[in-house]
Amino acid sequence: MKGKWAAAALLALAAVNAAQAQTYPSRQVTVIVPFAAGGPADISGRIAADIFQRHLGQQFVVENVGGAGGTTGSLRAARATADGTTLVMGHMGTHAAAPALYPNLGYDPEKDFEPIGLIAVQPELLAVRKDFPASNLKEFVAYAKANESKLNMGHAGVGSVSYVGCLLLNSAIGIKPTLVPFTGTAPVMNAILAGNVDYDCDPVLGPLPHVRAGTAKALAIAHKKRSPMLPDVPTSYEQGLPQFDCAPFYAMFAPKGTPQPMIDKLNAALRKGVASETYQKRLDDLGALPPSDEEMSAAYLKQFVPAEIEKFKTLLAEKK
Ligand code: MLT
């Protein structure tokens, strides 16, 4: 008898979910960006919000909730009501590396979220202030080793992708600079422009306008391939430091329990939007790599996240 009631309740819930999904989104949706405005997560989150808005005919409003390397905003999203009105812009830091860096992370990136889809992969680069006394990776390594005690590195908090990227760089070189935390890499870039911070590791789109304007320098792309946006900047591989390889994914997630038909609707909109010529060009111009159609399925992200979590557990085990 108990089983019958449970089955009936499940059927009723499925019917309610399907009905809600048909009219979804009937209310404004909040897209939590767990970092400061103007950085890669914010720009990616705004691209996704824009796509959802165009395709689903409702307002998608970005809310920047910075702090603790993106874990504050991600925790807020994990605890939000799972009714499709709260989404979060997650990335390789908040949804893959954070469990390796926080012994008491308040959320489980795998169990507390429904993956919606990837937006882009964003290779990082090593950016330095314009008067930093190095113009390539070899010179950076030599200077950093000789001046470790006065070297400072900006990052967007423990668990952020800028923190992880530079952790890989620093451990490969064998240096421990002074770490200066910010709520995102946009404020880190401001500190680099002001000459208050020596360097950071940031997806290409952050430093790009400043490198082009000559107000900051890019010393290495942390990826196997050069960036078409900065074709003169050699990769870490070319410069003999392949351990500095960091190309974070940026993706949308919803709180666990968000009805599947809503996730399907969001995924279809995102997929269509990212595949369009307009957004492919926009992502190209930002130095981001748009995912393939297969990589844009929610199913792909569902198996990709746990694989990345495992990867970072091993990769970061001795580097913290
Ligand atoms: C940002 O948008 O500020 C960055 O993506 C933060 C980070 O380093 O993870």
Side-chain angles (χ1 to χ4, degrees):
M1 201 59 190
K2 235 182 185 178
K4 260 190 185 172
W5 282 116
L10 277 178
L11 272 177
L13 184 67
V16 170
N17 283 349
Q20 275 177 347
Q22 254 180 15
T23 52
Y24 177 76
S26 55
R27 280 191 290 147
Q28 178 179 301
V29 177
T30 300
V31 176
I32 294 180
V33 167
F35 293 98
D42 182 61
I43 291 174
S44 308
R46 283 174 201 277
I47 288 176
D50 199 34
I51 289 173
F52 289 141
Q53 197 154 299
R54 274 164 193 251
H55 287 269
L56 300 175
Q58 181 58 258
Q59 268 204 309
F60 282 71
V61 178
V62 168
E63 189 184 341
N64 297 87
V65 184
T71 63
T72 305
S74 301
L75 181 61
R76 186 183 301 177
R79 289 182 176 163
T81 308
D83 61 358
T85 57
T86 305
L87 311 178
V88 64
M89 168 81 255
H91 68 5
M92 182 203 87
T94 55
H95 282 69
L101 296 165
Y102 286 89
N104 297 310
L105 187 64
Y107 62 91
D108 181 329
E110 198 183 335
K111 297 200 181 106
D112 294 338
F113 293 93
E114 305 283 352
I116 296 170
L118 278 175
I119 295 164
V121 167
Q122 305 204 29
E124 290 191 1
L125 57 73
L126 166 60
V128 297
R129 58 182 162 81
K130 77 169 191 296
D131 52 356
F132 190 85
S135 25
N136 56 46
L137 200 44
K138 200 170 163 209
E139 287 172 14
F140 177 86
V141 172
Y143 180 87
K145 279 184 163 167
N147 297 278
E148 189 178 346
S149 62
K150 60 176 184 183
L151 199 65
N152 63 47
M153 172 202 117
H155 65 95
V158 175
S160 65
V161 299
S162 45
Y163 178 87
V164 173
C166 273
L167 190 59
L168 300 177
L169 172 72
N170 297 341
S171 69
I173 303 174
I175 52 160
K176 284 193 190 300
T178 301
L179 306 187
V180 190
F182 291 82
T183 55
T185 51
V188 176
M189 265 329 289
N190 288 339
I192 288 180
L193 297 181
N196 297 331
V197 157
D198 291 319
Y199 71 105
D200 86 335
C201 302
D202 198 6
V204 170
L205 77 86
L208 183 62
H210 312 294
V211 172
R212 282 183 171 155
T215 48
K217 294 193 286 189
L219 302 190
I221 303 288
H223 193 47
K224 283 197 177 109
K225 280 193 188 154
R226 289 191 185 200
S227 170
M229 292 301 109
L230 292 169
D232 297 335
V233 181
T235 68
S236 52
Y237 286 81
E238 288 173 76
Q239 299 185 80
L241 208 67
Q243 302 95 317
F244 179 44
D245 181 332
C246 196
F249 70 87
Y250 284 69
M252 291 303 306
F253 295 86
K256 188 78 184 173
T258 303
Q260 191 58 41
M262 293 184 186
I263 300 292
D264 293 344
K265 241 178 168 173
L266 290 162
N267 175 269
L270 194 62
R271 217 158 167 168
K272 231 188 266 169
V274 170
S276 72
E277 219 175 286
T278 316
Y279 286 100
Q280 291 274 316
K281 174 153 182 3
R282 194 148 167 217
L283 291 170
D284 284 350
D285 289 347
L286 292 168
L289 311 174
S292 67
D293 187 55
E294 192 217 324
E295 288 166 345
M296 285 222 60
S297 70
Y300 176 86
L301 191 56
K302 210 178 184 101
Q303 52 81 32
F304 182 64
V305 167
E308 286 281 286
I309 291 172
E310 278 311 307
K311 180 178 115 183
F312 282 104
K313 252 189 219 158
T314 314
L315 193 62
L316 301 179
E318 287 127 36
K319 296 188 170 66
K320 288 184 252 176

